[in-house]
Amino acid sequence: MSRSLRAAREKDAGSSRSEQGPAIDFAKPAFLGFGLGLRSEHYSEIFEHNPPVDWFEVLSENFMVPGGSPLRNLDRVRLDYPVVMHGVSLSIASTGELNWDYLRDLKSLAVRLEPAWISDHLCWTGVHDVNLHDLLPIPYTEEALRHISSRIHQVQDYLGRALVLENVSTYVEFSESEMPEWEFLAELSRSTGCWLLLDLNNVYVNARNHGYDAVRFLDGVPADRVVQFHLAGHSDMGDYLIDTHDHPVCEEVFELYRMALHRFGPVSTMIERDDKIPPLRELVAELDRARRIAGDLLPARPLPGAQDRQDGNIGSV
Amino acid sequence: MSRLAQLQQLFQDRILSGTPGCDEVILLLSDSAPAPVVERLGVYTNAYKARLIEIVANDHENLRAYMGEQLFDRMASEYVESHPSTTPNARWYSARLPLFLARTDPYRSWPQMAEIACLAAALNDAFDCEDAGVMRLEDLAAVKPEDWAELRFKPHPSVSCFETRTNALAIWKAVKSNNDVPAPEIRRQPLPVIVWRQELTPMVRHFDAEEAMLWKEGSRGIPFGTLCEMSATFDRPHEAAARVASYLAGWLNAGMLAE
Ligand SMILES: [Fe+2]
């Protein structure tokens, strides 16, 4: 056990750990409604106009800093909105050591924010203490499954809650893969209790990049394991697509969203935009489209809307 | 080494070296997809450098404006090649840029560049450093006259104080406000700079030599009485206490001292 790990575990001994071992919250998170990624460009609009967004997704690393305005602004957003934490550096699939300093900071941010859940990506970002700051592809093998499962268990033990993992866009596939991506995701979720964040743009991008039907992907993911959808835009390079998150959501991805709603029911949905960030009202309009699509398709289950949020009824579905 | 570890090692080496063409990694990849595998692997190798250069550029936009995009991007590309990131948070990736500029040809022959980078890094650090209560002028009202000599001060955690040998701050200010940029100058006497966070805003200004000396000594716990004595040896002795008091008032008003 590394020194930092032991220190982190000792620190926890009094709080979340019982003598029987870690108490992990495996309860399925409640439906939150329709959210957006939190962007500093939009702070003033959020603070002044309290826009009709049910929740915000917060990029964990942006707030894993000691203090100052980032955390001040975040605390202010948190007063009015539920949040979920979304990280990019967990590197759950890496064969390098788990970074316990990173996990300690992640956990203390979670204590501050009380997010509805904590997500990251099913990928690796580097080995040998290098971080390539990218979401890198894995071979879908039994070996990888065993390795990643054991890391998910360790992280869930430490955080005291089930993780949420997102499928990433990939541009290459390893020849030695033994199963399709959806089967790998399904197996991982079953064996560890982690939930899934299904990025429908990534499903669409991968289907195009690797030449399969996106619907097969959806059908291969267990219907009860998905707690969040990402909708996003991409760049079309002709023969392949790049997951750039700098465009509005395309029609094909909205179509996939309809199919996903049929299969998965009401799932917390958000628009992901990381570049060429438009004014907040444009994203709210895009989000309202998703809200309408879901409202039309799932009439039997009332979805919380902006009004509900202001009345404080969020998560009551 | 497990098979997965082996694959990751090869893949990472390939991204870090950025070499195009057919190699061991290509042989591991399925080529059944519509686009050629070399082109798709290129998405990773190209994105790597571009992304890290962008991180450096975002942290140092005034230096980029000063150097010009072309020279800056060439410099940033060399930085990326020689500095694989080891931090999980990209926020600290550019931390070694000032040192890189100070030590690497040809940039080290333009010392204002390293100093501008140093200023930006200090301002970025002040922006999100830990929070701490600030000591106010009013807090000193209750201090009894006989206790003043033993009064000690603690810098706010956002403060960094360093010396510049060039007119880097003047250049940085001109670039930032879109004014005419002065020619670089090397000074005979180093010019101290102080960076701190006032409320939530990172600030920067020069210290004069005496103020810098007193700040340095005060920061390491030297009490007010001794600071006055030091000041007396620095300049007109009969005005020393008044000068130290006025520096102190300035520090307190600016929020440079912690509770
Ligand atoms: Fe996503």
Side-chain angles (χ1 to χ4, degrees), chain A residues 144-201:
Chain A
L145 206 48
R146 277 193 304 275
H147 174 72
I148 300 167
S149 294
S150 93
R151 305 238 308 175
I152 294 175
H153 282 303
Q154 289 182 71
V155 171
Q156 293 184 152
D157 281 359
Y158 178 66
L159 295 177
R161 56 160 88 209
L163 271 175
V164 175
L165 288 178
E166 175 179 359
N167 60 304
V168 299
S169 281
T170 57
Y171 310 101
V172 298
E173 284 190 310
F174 293 94
S175 317
E176 54 207 74
S177 284
E178 294 156 3
M179 61 193 96
E181 183 182 355
W182 51 88
E183 209 175 305
F184 194 91
L185 279 166
E187 195 42 49
L188 210 54
S189 179
R190 251 181 243 126
S191 66
T192 64
C194 78
W195 301 100
L196 299 174
L197 190 181
L198 198 58
D199 185 314
L200 295 167
N201 180 60

Side-chain angles (χ1 to χ4, degrees), chain B residues 108-121:
Chain B
R108 67 190 182 117
S109 50
W110 302 303
Q112 73 275 19
M113 290 180 182
E115 291 190 345
I116 293 168
C118 193
L119 278 172

Side-chain angles (χ1 to χ4, degrees), chain A residues 166 199 202 230 245 272:
Chain A
E166 175 179 359
D199 185 314
N202 292 347
H230 270 172
H245 295 185
E272 218 183 8

Side-chain angles (χ1 to χ4, degrees), chain A residues 89 95 127 131 133 173 176, chain B residues 3 8 12 30 51 85 88:
Chain A
S89 301
T95 50
V127 284
N131 191 331
H133 300 286
E173 284 190 310
E176 54 207 74
Chain B
R3 178 64 184 157
Q8 291 184 342
Q12 173 164 309
S30 152
R51 190 173 37 251
S85 174

